[in-house]
Amino acid sequence: MDTGEVAHLGERLLVVDDEPTVKELLSATLRFAGFTVSSADSGAQALESARRDPPDLVLLDVMLPDLDGFEVLRRLRGLPRAGGRPGPVPVLFLTARDATADKINGLRLGGDDYVTKPFDLEELLARIQAILRRTGAVPDDRTLVVGDLEVDPDAHQVLRAGRPVRLSPTEFRLLHHLVLNAGRVVPKAQILEHVWRYDFAGDTSIVDTYVSYLRRKLDTTGPKLIHTVHGVGYLLRRPRP
């Protein structure tokens, strides 16, 4: 996603992970989703970063080279939140340690959520936004906005330039997935997995068919939103000025 494409993003996230590949890929992905991201590869760096620039949320690995994530969480409790908001800095544990005892420990210490690797990006973004809403970092409003397109996941309502657009349940799931990934090319195989939950034996023609349905309903009344990236998939983005 491009920065600012989706409403209520732009909050400051701190990614703490000592695996360079994981840290860099996750940071880049979150920036595409519209967040402001800083990163650290040790507990000490994380605490220094949080003191210097208080985050809205910390994504924290448990296994770090100096302090473990649980100790970092304890020390974060005494640091201020972004914007001077009341309460402790929200923390989402993101780690390969999937033992139940670790999850219970992390939550008992005050962690807001616990996600194990490998993780689904869409689910992780949903969990991040849920924590931000719950802790008051963003308004409790899930409406997604790309240009003049508005998608309300709760009401299953779509507006284009203020006018309602009627979609079938499958069309809505497809559009919702494209909006969640606004500004990014979404491969057809990924769309099959997330929208239909199975792969149609690898036949991606169903994706092409439903994208054409969406275009007839969305792209005939205003600038083009849905773009084809030949040989890869589809891209939904705000129209260029």
Side-chain angles (χ1 to χ4, degrees):
M1 302 180 194
D2 290 337
T3 300
E5 290 273 13
V6 177
H8 306 316
L9 300 185
E11 293 72 33
R12 290 195 292 274
L13 305 186
L14 172 59
V15 175
V16 187
D17 199 304
D18 66 333
E19 296 180 51
T21 301
V22 173
K23 182 182 66 177
E24 291 164 12
L25 286 176
L26 183 56
S27 297
T29 299
L30 293 171
R31 289 189 183 101
F32 272 120
F35 294 104
T36 298
V37 182
S38 55
S39 63
D41 55 19
S42 70
Q45 285 185 13
L47 292 168
E48 176 57 30
S49 177
R51 290 188 188 97
R52 183 176 62 250
D53 188 11
D56 291 291
L57 174 69
V58 178
L59 285 84
L60 181 61
D61 192 6
V62 173
M63 296 180 288
L64 296 170
D66 50 357
L67 309 170
D68 69 24
F70 301 138
E71 179 59 27
V72 174
L73 173 63
R74 291 188 187 96
R75 300 189 188 190
L76 282 171
R77 299 296 85 175
L79 298 182
R81 290 181 61 185
R85 298 184 186 92
V89 178
V91 171
L92 185 155
F93 283 110
L94 188 63
T95 177
R97 286 172 59 167
D98 59 358
T100 300
D102 286 327
K103 295 179 182 179
I104 292 173
N105 191 29
L107 296 173
R108 279 180 175 170
L109 288 171
D112 294 88
D113 206 343
Y114 197 110
V115 176
T116 55
K117 303 173 186 176
F119 51 84
D120 177 87
L121 177 59
E122 188 173 341
E123 178 185 355
L124 178 62
L125 288 172
R127 288 173 180 260
I128 289 171
Q129 293 186 62
I131 293 171
L132 292 174
R133 286 194 302 272
R134 189 168 65 244
T135 58
V138 298
D140 190 10
D141 181 356
R142 297 184 63 200
T143 299
L144 307 174
V145 179
V146 180
D148 63 358
L149 175 69
E150 300 176 42
V151 178
D152 184 338
D154 293 326
H156 274 232
Q157 182 179 57
V158 177
L159 301 176
R160 179 84 202 265
R163 301 176 64 180
V165 180
R166 296 184 63 180
L167 299 179
S168 71
T170 301
E171 290 167 349
F172 185 89
R173 289 197 302 272
L174 172 58
L175 178 62
H176 185 232
H177 188 64
L178 291 174
V179 170
L180 284 173
N181 290 277
R184 298 175 58 232
V185 178
V186 186
K188 293 181 184 180
Q190 178 182 327
I191 294 173
L192 277 173
E193 178 183 351
H194 287 276
V195 176
W196 281 271
R197 304 297 181 185
Y198 52 97
D199 63 5
F200 275 81
D203 182 5
T204 59
S205 62
I206 189 70
V207 176
D208 301 324
T209 299
Y210 272 83
V211 167
S212 71
Y213 294 161
L214 278 183
R215 282 175 165 157
R216 290 174 197 166
K217 296 182 178 183
L218 293 175
D219 284 348
T220 57
T221 58
K224 186 176 180 181
L225 290 171
I226 303 172
H227 303 263
T228 301
V229 180
H230 293 288
V232 183
Y234 294 97
L235 164 71
L236 186 145
R237 71 181 178 211
R238 180 186 305 174
R240 305 294 187 190

